Amino acid sequence: MQNPDAPEPASTGGQQPAGLAVSFHGSFGLYTEARGPVARRSCVLFLQPWGYEEQCTHKFFRLIADELAERGIASLRFDYPGTGDALDLPPEAASLDVWRNAVTAAFGELSRLTGHAPVFIIGHGIGASIGLSMADGFGAALAGIAVMAPVVSGRSYLRELQLWSRVIDDGLGLPEHLRSTDAVSIGGHVMAPAIAAGVKAMTAGALLPQMPRPSLYLVRGDRAADKELADAAIAGNPQAEVADYIGYDAMVANPAMAEMPHEAGETVVQWIDAKASQDARTVLDPQQEPAILRGDGFCETAMRFGPSQRLYGVLTEPLGKRRGAAALLLNTAYDRHCGWGRSGVAMARKLAAQGIASFRFDPANVGDSPPVPGAAQQVLYAKSQEDDVLAALDVLESRNLLPAIAVGRCSGGYLAFRSLIRDERLRGGCLANPYVFYWDPARPVDASLSVVPRSLDTYRKLLLSPQTLRRIFDGRVDLKNAMRNFLRVGIQRFLLKTGLHHVVSAEARTMHRDIRRAFGRLEGRGVPLYLLYSENDVGLEHFYQQFGVDGRGLQRYSTAKLEMLEGVDHNFSPAWSRERYTQKVVELALVCNEVPSGKP
């Protein structure tokens, strides 16, 4: 499988479209059409993992789908009910059987799209286990199954989720009293109790199909349960094979900097390529009705758009009377358009309840949007993402949904800010915890973000925390790196207070001029700019560099408003903070619909 992070030769062609959006069973799916010289009589259904693991593997599945398409094999990816872009489940309706029913519906949809071609399943995490447990029910229509990182013991998996969740919360600096303890949750995702109960009942004995068929088990070397399941499968199925799952931990460590397990992906692609039918099939016309979902007070349309239909997004419109400017929701780093813990989906549907339309999408090489050939593979803080915003604004304009406001958190806030400057169709911006307002193009993104320091105030609190002292004594803290970051932030704060920051650094002077000029342009156009910061957020250090430790420098811009939120982490995990964020977006949308372009 081609490494998408490797440099590509310059090219003006070869742009692949995003997947074709389809809707079924209360969910959106992405159908990736066969692109090879021959469309083959085999196809693939992807069954995803859950929660944080799904965030990390989502792009990986898209890469595999694209590689299979080049070999003439079509595929379908989709979200289980209550996850991703799918409709939410009422608590009384949630169960693992509802997910299984969705898998059956997706199997039928893929069969319809491919003229009943035999189906292979690629399952990961819970998806792998669901696929195994349902394999016999599909009979001869299921040509084979690839099993990646399966949940072998539901009890062990739920315990592992608890530990994993704590590690993530520690990394975010989330205070103990704000952490979720009354439900199975991780990274902002909450598993319905009934679904958790179904997962808890999963056992190895219930997973192994009785009908022999081609099967591939990718085994993680440090997971004994993976090997035990694979050994049991081989003992009862002469068509079962085993391979090493190399790179799993690097992929799920952090969705913002996930390293794709290309070797494992290539293993799966080659296995399916070898097992799939070499016969050609008749290609059906994929053109169909728009992919639409309707929920309580909203209607959503999934689409591919932009030049060569290279981008993927979801438009949410109110079912009742529309009011206010439309909100362009810009995702953070490499989070897919659904947002951290589905926060983007929740915001879009709450905005619709207030009569406000919104559009959430993936920029190129993020989530479900393929990269641009010849462009830099690292798109975070790249100017190329602004072109994707312009394409999204074109969608809103074509549907008479302008004016618009830009909404984003962290790097999404940076993109919102830069897009506001570039396109006057954007009348306002709501930025939550923007890490920076300016990024030096010569500054390497990967190296910079791998050692992001926290704010000085956060370091002070952590140093006084008994939990931090225990982690230091247990060797769970990289003390050398922590001290280096502490000194770095402390020196920056000293230079700020003494007024020497812009004197000693040419880069700081360039940054300061650019940001002042940008804020001035927005002020001149009368563009309202709402800035929301979590108390002690890492982005505040950059804000202080530009506007002073007390934020007084912001007062020269009458259209810029600052609000500080206490007891909130960088990702706005507490429910009340997300509500406040949404309230500010509603307020801005109503204001910007009334104010014409240009300063009043």
Side-chain angles (χ1 to χ4, degrees):
M1 187 172 69
Q2 183 181 3
N3 182 347
D5 298 319
E8 293 188 24
S11 172
T12 57
Q15 175 67 60
Q16 301 298 347
L20 174 69
V22 296
S23 56
F24 57 91
H25 202 75
S27 181
F28 287 127
L30 274 171
Y31 176 62
T32 304
E33 302 135 294
R35 293 194 289 263
V38 176
R40 294 159 64 179
R41 277 200 55 76
S42 291
C43 56
V44 169
L45 177 65
F46 288 88
L47 302 184
Q48 64 190 25
W50 174 80
Y52 181 81
E53 186 178 6
E54 191 279 327
Q55 281 185 248
C56 296
T57 59
H58 194 85
K59 179 179 177 178
F60 182 45
F61 270 13
R62 191 252 297 161
L63 294 174
I64 294 177
D66 286 342
E67 186 65 29
L68 289 170
E70 295 300 328
R71 301 176 186 226
I73 300 172
S75 64
L76 179 67
R77 294 167 282 139
F78 74 102
D79 294 318
Y80 307 124
T83 73
D85 288 318
L87 296 179
D88 292 312
L89 282 173
E92 66 275 9
S95 73
L96 204 55
D97 284 339
V98 172
W99 285 8
R100 292 190 179 101
N101 292 339
V103 171
T104 300
F107 198 100
E109 179 70 9
L110 179 58
S111 181
R112 180 188 71 81
L113 289 166
T114 58
H116 304 287
V119 177
F120 285 84
I121 283 177
I122 298 177
H124 202 293
I126 287 178
S129 303
I130 292 175
L132 281 172
S133 68
M134 297 180 66
D136 287 337
F138 291 124
L142 179 61
I145 182 169
V147 180
M148 308 179 74
V151 174
V152 180
S153 165
R155 288 179 179 272
S156 297
Y157 171 72
L158 294 180
R159 286 197 298 269
E160 183 179 344
L161 276 183
Q162 288 181 317
L163 296 174
W164 201 0
S165 179
R166 177 160 288 276
V167 170
I168 293 171
D169 288 345
D170 285 343
L172 293 174
L174 193 64
E176 194 71 30
H177 69 280
L178 294 178
R179 303 186 184 195
S180 175
T181 58
D182 57 352
V184 176
S185 64
I186 182 170
H189 299 270
V190 179
M191 184 180 288
I195 292 177
V199 172
K200 188 176 182 179
M202 285 182 173
T203 61
L207 295 181
L208 292 176
Q210 298 300 308
M211 182 185 298
R213 59 169 49 83
S215 305
L216 175 66
Y217 291 79
L218 264 67
V219 174
R220 295 167 291 180
D222 60 342
R223 269 54 164 209
D226 283 17
K227 187 176 187 307
E228 292 169 3
L229 181 68
D231 288 345
I234 290 175
N237 179 7
Q239 299 183 68
E241 303 174 44
V242 178
D244 292 331
Y245 193 159
I246 299 172
Y248 170 83
D249 290 321
M251 175 175 61
V252 300
N254 185 338
M257 294 177 285
E259 298 178 21
M260 297 294 101
H262 302 293
E263 186 174 343
E266 183 64 23
T267 298
V268 172
V269 168
Q270 290 185 359
W271 180 80
I272 289 179
D273 189 26
K275 301 297 182 184
S277 170
Q278 299 298 319
D279 295 338
R281 64 175 171 86
T282 301
V283 179
L284 302 179
D285 185 357
Q287 296 300 321
Q288 56 181 42
E289 294 298 315
I292 292 175
L293 294 179
R294 288 183 174 85
D296 186 12
F298 65 86
C299 174
E300 293 193 325
T301 306
M303 66 184 76
R304 50 187 180 183
F305 65 97
S308 303
Q309 296 186 310
R310 63 183 180 84
L311 300 169
Y312 178 78
V314 177
L315 177 68
T316 305
E317 297 176 274
L319 288 178
K321 182 179 179 181
R322 179 179 168 254
R323 61 182 188 145
L328 194 60
L329 307 182
L330 304 175
N331 45 327
T332 297
Y334 288 101
D335 290 350
R336 58 186 289 208
H337 58 274
C338 297
W340 178 269
R342 295 184 79 211
S343 57
V345 175
M347 178 180 283
R349 294 171 182 176
K350 289 178 180 177
L351 291 176
Q354 298 290 326
I356 298 168
S358 65
F359 191 41
R360 60 187 187 271
F361 74 100
D362 291 326
N365 206 22
V366 176
D368 293 309
S369 295
V372 175
Q377 290 296 307
Q378 174 54 273
V379 296
L380 192 59
Y381 294 108
K383 195 172 181 62
S384 60
Q385 286 199 326
E386 297 173 26
D387 297 330
D388 301 336
V389 172
L390 301 187
L393 286 170
D394 289 342
V395 170
L396 295 178
E397 184 170 15
S398 69
R399 291 172 174 257
N400 296 316
L401 292 174
L402 292 178
I405 60 174
V407 180
R409 181 181 57 79
C410 192
S411 60
Y414 169 85
L415 180 57
F417 180 71
R418 288 291 151 183
S419 299
L420 276 167
I421 300 166
R422 184 169 175 181
D423 197 311
E424 294 192 11
R425 289 177 292 181
L426 289 169
R427 296 273 184 84
C430 186
L431 284 51
N433 287 335
Y435 179 50
V436 293
F437 297 107
Y438 170 87
W439 190 273
D440 182 355
R443 182 181 177 188
V445 174
D446 294 332
S448 299
L449 297 188
S450 63
V451 291
V452 172
R454 298 182 179 183
S455 72
L456 187 61
D457 298 321
T458 298
Y459 280 123
R460 286 171 178 160
K461 290 185 177 182
L462 288 174
L463 286 174
L464 298 175
S465 167
Q467 293 177 336
T468 301
L469 294 176
R470 283 197 299 270
R471 293 178 66 205
I472 291 174
F473 288 131
D474 291 343
R476 290 179 289 157
V477 173
D478 186 344
L479 198 56
K480 182 179 179 181
N481 186 59
M483 291 305 299
R484 181 167 55 245
N485 283 340
F486 177 77
L487 290 173
R488 174 181 163 190
V489 175
I491 291 171
Q492 289 177 346
R493 185 68 67 86
F494 170 78
L495 292 173
L496 281 171
K497 288 188 174 182
T498 57
L500 297 175
H501 184 72
H502 303 299
V503 176
V504 300
S505 171
E507 179 183 356
R509 291 194 296 274
T510 299
M511 180 187 303
H512 192 64
R513 283 195 302 268
D514 179 274
I515 292 172
R516 289 295 180 92
R517 187 181 300 117
F519 270 79
R521 287 182 60 185
L522 296 180
E523 169 81 4
R525 284 168 42 200
V527 175
L529 187 65
Y530 292 179
L531 303 177
L532 303 181
Y533 278 101
S534 305
E535 181 187 31
N536 302 322
D537 187 75
V538 62
L540 283 172
E541 295 302 323
H542 176 79
F543 177 83
Y544 294 153
Q545 290 173 21
Q546 310 310 318
F547 304 106
V549 176
D550 55 5
R552 187 174 301 174
L554 193 67
Q555 295 177 4
R556 71 178 64 188
Y557 307 106
S558 62
T559 57
K561 307 297 181 184
L562 172 66
E563 181 173 335
M564 302 290 291
L565 302 179
E566 296 184 3
V568 180
D569 66 305
H570 181 70
N571 287 350
F572 277 51
S573 296
W576 71 265
S577 65
R578 294 188 181 188
E579 287 293 335
R580 181 58 179 163
Y581 189 8
T582 301
Q583 289 172 5
K584 296 300 291 184
V585 174
V586 170
E587 177 185 319
L588 182 66
L590 297 180
V591 168
C592 290
N593 193 50
E594 299 170 357
V595 178
S597 181
K599 188 174 180 178

